[in-house]
């Protein structure tokens, strides 16, 4: 079974900072609220595939750049 993949909160945050964007600006570009953006960066929620796509587009990267493998406990 393939491991589930989820976003990497640290990568989202570092890419946002590299792009020179504040959370509010990235949230606006991705069409989400600032609190939702904060929750994504803190790992409290996983963005839906459409939101992840909009985040990647706003950050000028591929969706796969924002993902990390999630280990599965057997």
């Amino acid at each position: 079974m393939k491991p589930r993949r989820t976003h990497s909160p640290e990568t989202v945050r570092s890419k946002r900072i590299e792009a020179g964007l504040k959370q509010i600006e990235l949230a606006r570009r991705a069409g989400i609220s600032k609190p939702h953006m904060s929750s994504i960066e803190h790992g409290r929620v996983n963005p839906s595939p459409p939101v992840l796509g909009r985040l990647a587009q706003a950050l000028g990267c591929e969706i796969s750049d924002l993902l990390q493998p999630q280990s599965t406990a057997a």
Side-chain angles (χ1 to χ4, degrees):
M1 179 186 294
K2 287 185 179 181
R4 282 184 38 204
R5 291 180 60 93
T6 183
H7 79 293
S8 169
E10 299 83 14
T11 302
V12 172
R13 183 175 187 272
S14 67
K15 293 240 181 237
R16 174 181 61 78
I17 292 169
E18 286 174 18
L21 298 172
K22 294 187 177 190
Q23 273 188 351
I24 190 76
E25 180 60 21
L26 180 54
R28 186 190 66 74
R29 291 181 184 194
I32 61 174
S33 69
K34 162 59 167 82
H36 192 160
M37 184 71 244
S38 178
S39 292
I40 290 169
E41 283 193 5
H42 285 93
R44 291 188 294 264
V45 299
N46 282 318
S48 67
V51 169
L52 194 59
R54 293 193 307 264
L55 287 171
Q57 183 177 22
L59 292 168
C61 66
E62 299 293 321
I63 292 173
S64 60
D65 295 335
L66 303 178
L67 299 178
Q68 66 184 9
Q70 184 179 23
S71 61
T72 56

